[in-house]
Amino acid sequence: MVMGSYSFTKVRWWMAAILIFSTCLGDVAGINFVSMEHYRGPDRGFEITLTDLIAFSLLVSAFMRFPSKIKWFPLNTVLFMVLFGSALISSAVAPEPLFSAFTLFKMLRSYMLYLCVANIYRMGIPRDYIWGGYILIGVVVTVLALQQKYLWGIYRIYGPFDHSNTVPIYLNLIMPVVLLWGFCDSRMSMQRMLISVLTAMGMVFCVVATVSRAGIAFSGLCMAGVFCILLMYARSLRFWVASVLIAIVVIFGALKSYDTVMARFENAPAESEMARAEFERVAKMMTREHTFGVGLNNFSLVMTSTSRYRKNVVVMAGEEESGVVHNVYLLTSSEMGYLGLIVYILVITRFLALYAWAFLRERKSMDGLLLGAYCLGFIAAHLTGFLEWAMRITPVTYLFVITSGIAAALREDLIFKRKYAMLPSTAG
């Protein structure tokens, strides 16, 4: 792959598209070394995925071909280093350092992926291939959802993942980008615009088919956010045509799924809420009692083996091994202490704040509007974090890293264009 990426431009472009798409393949495209499959923490081995291999190949070939263009310390690198440092401290006090090592290894791979994607425009990769990667994700997950829903009769589809709750946070990261891209890119043909809009609608269908209450709500908010952006800054004939199409699809879909969704809202098991509350109570105890947390990726182990934590669990008391608290922020603070939580929040909010500011400054351009759509996806993902720990699952982590890197490259490109436009002309 390294030589193909180095030698052939089109190969490099397609590898970038497959890099993005590969995140939706789940366990099919990954191998765990020193695997602990029965452990119920987020990371269960030294994992290598197809995404890692492509990112490594693109980085090596870029270093060989464009050594002077690579930006080795992209946006937020210092905060990433501080987060990794706090993870090392947490790992040092962990009762099972091997479990911590699994997550540390993933953090290093995630930064390699971010470094690759943050330099994606410096490698000369056209945006059409980024769009293509998103479209491939939407098409494949939608086909799986249709198969699981209507051929297999599964009540809550799970797509390519282990659990249905992973699907909404994963797709909501990119659905607003795909939807807005179809509206705003004037270079797109009408056929590609329809593909983009229908793919986004397919992603919304997938979320609805999981019957995840929060996922459905955040999908709706993302769509509303996209339409607000477009109404304010990008109304056009394309917008009105696609709006009518979306309105028809949404109305039909709402009528078709109304009974199922309402039944889920009205009959959600009380035990689920009780179990979440119990785990959150224990996570807060861990945070108070351990300055640097109980150890990275060690929540499940400590919860299972420590009687003073275990006795707080009533609803899930029959399980031999505990899972993890659903709130990703409480999970972070319980495993890494307040320091880890603060740094983690700084990382995600700095991304969001800088991209939102760039959107507000450049909202009249397509690139600026895309940054606004990325912000919507980030907001949905981070709010979902109060209800789910899915941000720690590798496909979701990787897609968040990829979207953050692409948005960082987009922001840098906008800053460069603004500075270039402000330079005095030397003509004449």
Side-chain angles (χ1 to χ4, degrees), residues 227 239-249:
F227 279 100
F239 166 71
W240 294 115
V241 170
S243 296
V244 171
L245 174 66
I246 289 175
I248 293 170
V249 172

Side-chain angles (χ1 to χ4, degrees), residues 6-26:
Y6 174 79
S7 304
F8 304 102
T9 301
K10 280 289 184 70
V11 170
R12 185 163 60 251
W13 295 355
W14 277 109
M15 282 176 64
I18 296 171
L19 171 77
I20 297 168
F21 164 71
S22 64
T23 59
C24 83
L25 297 178

Side-chain angles (χ1 to χ4, degrees), residues 8-9 55 68 70 96 100 104-105 130 138 144 155 210 253 293 368 372 382:
F8 304 102
T9 301
S68 62
I70 300 300
E96 182 49 81
S100 296
L104 289 172
F105 183 55
I130 296 170
L144 287 174
Y155 173 57
T210 66
H382 299 326

Side-chain angles (χ1 to χ4, degrees), residues 19-20 23 49 51-60 62 69-81 83 105-123 125 130 134 346-352 354-355 371 374 378 394 396-413 415:
L19 171 77
I20 297 168
T23 59
T49 69
T51 311
D52 297 317
L53 297 177
I54 297 173
F56 177 77
S57 300
L58 282 171
L59 258 185
V60 172
K69 291 185 178 181
I70 300 300
K71 187 173 185 177
W72 293 106
F73 300 101
L75 181 70
N76 253 4
T77 292
V78 173
L79 281 176
F80 278 138
M81 291 179 177
L83 182 63
F105 183 55
K106 184 162 83 174
M107 291 177 76
L108 291 173
R109 288 161 32 224
S110 297
Y111 183 74
M112 177 190 69
L113 176 61
Y114 176 69
L115 185 63
C116 171
V117 179
N119 284 284
I120 204 157
Y121 295 144
R122 292 170 177 264
M123 298 179 194
I125 295 171
I130 296 170
Y134 292 156
L346 284 174
V347 169
I348 61 177
T349 54
R350 188 162 188 263
F351 273 136
L352 184 58
L354 290 174
Y355 299 154
L371 280 174
Y374 277 112
F378 292 160
T394 300
V396 181
T397 300
Y398 274 13
L399 190 61
F400 171 69
V401 169
I402 286 172
T403 51
S404 298
I406 292 172
L410 194 60
R411 174 180 174 270
E412 184 184 26
D413 197 37
I415 291 172

Side-chain angles (χ1 to χ4, degrees), residues 382-396:
H382 299 326
L383 289 178
T384 304
F386 287 101
L387 304 170
E388 297 293 342
W389 59 272
M391 186 63 84
R392 294 277 294 273
I393 297 173
T394 300
V396 181

Side-chain angles (χ1 to χ4, degrees), residues 35-316:
S35 178
M36 302 287 185
E37 287 302 318
H38 296 294
Y39 181 58
R40 295 189 63 186
D43 298 305
R44 302 167 188 177
F46 292 112
E47 187 181 22
I48 295 292
T49 69
L50 177 61
T51 311
D52 297 317
L53 297 177
I54 297 173
F56 177 77
S57 300
L58 282 171
L59 258 185
V60 172
S61 66
F63 177 72
M64 293 166 59
R65 193 173 184 86
F66 318 109
S68 62
K69 291 185 178 181
I70 300 300
K71 187 173 185 177
W72 293 106
F73 300 101
L75 181 70
N76 253 4
T77 292
V78 173
L79 281 176
F80 278 138
M81 291 179 177
V82 176
L83 182 63
F84 187 74
S86 63
L88 286 174
I89 295 171
S90 170
S91 302
V93 300
E96 182 49 81
L98 179 62
F99 294 164
S100 296
F102 295 159
T103 303
L104 289 172
F105 183 55
K106 184 162 83 174
M107 291 177 76
L108 291 173
R109 288 161 32 224
S110 297
Y111 183 74
M112 177 190 69
L113 176 61
Y114 176 69
L115 185 63
C116 171
V117 179
N119 284 284
I120 204 157
Y121 295 144
R122 292 170 177 264
M123 298 179 194
I125 295 171
R127 288 171 202 179
D128 288 349
Y129 288 82
I130 296 170
W131 175 82
Y134 292 156
I135 295 299
L136 285 172
I137 287 174
V139 170
V140 168
V141 179
T142 301
V143 169
L144 287 174
L146 289 168
Q147 179 189 52
Q148 293 167 9
K149 184 75 174 175
Y150 297 113
L151 293 183
W152 298 351
I154 296 174
Y155 173 57
R156 299 187 65 198
I157 67 99
Y158 51 84
F161 308 119
D162 293 332
H163 196 280
S164 57
N165 286 345
T166 307
V167 176
I169 189 172
Y170 179 84
L171 291 181
N172 282 340
L173 267 169
I174 59 172
M175 182 273 290
V177 179
V178 173
L179 182 60
L180 188 140
W181 206 325
F183 282 123
C184 293
D185 193 345
S186 58
R187 301 171 305 159
M188 275 189 180
S189 64
M190 187 60 71
Q191 291 84 356
R192 294 186 70 184
M193 184 209 77
L194 290 173
I195 289 171
S196 197
V197 172
L198 290 175
T199 300
M201 292 299 96
M203 293 179 185
V204 174
F205 161 76
C206 295
V207 174
V208 173
T210 66
V211 203
S212 166
R213 292 167 291 172
I216 293 169
F218 288 132
S219 284
L221 290 173
C222 283
M223 290 180 63
V226 168
F227 279 100
C228 286
I229 291 173
L230 293 169
L231 278 171
M232 288 188 289
Y233 307 118
R235 282 173 292 181
S236 64
L237 178 61
R238 181 187 294 253
F239 166 71
W240 294 115
V241 170
S243 296
V244 171
L245 174 66
I246 289 175
I248 293 170
V249 172
V250 168
I251 291 170
F252 175 79
L255 292 173
K256 182 75 171 62
S257 60
Y258 177 80
D259 292 342
T260 302
V261 173
M262 289 307 298
R264 172 66 177 167
F265 274 82
E266 294 170 357
N267 303 318
E271 292 80 2
S272 175
E273 297 301 324
M274 292 169 61
R276 285 173 183 263
E278 290 175 354
F279 273 67
E280 289 182 3
R281 187 160 53 247
V282 172
K284 291 173 183 177
M285 289 174 59
M286 291 180 180
T287 304
R288 288 193 300 267
E289 295 173 4
H290 300 270
T291 303
F292 299 109
V294 298
L296 188 66
N297 197 33
N298 272 246
F299 181 97
S300 177
L301 174 67
V302 174
M303 179 86 162
T304 302
S305 60
T306 307
S307 59
R308 72 176 182 279
Y309 299 141
R310 184 76 177 183
K311 70 181 181 181
N312 286 277
V313 179
V314 177
V315 177
M316 308 293 287

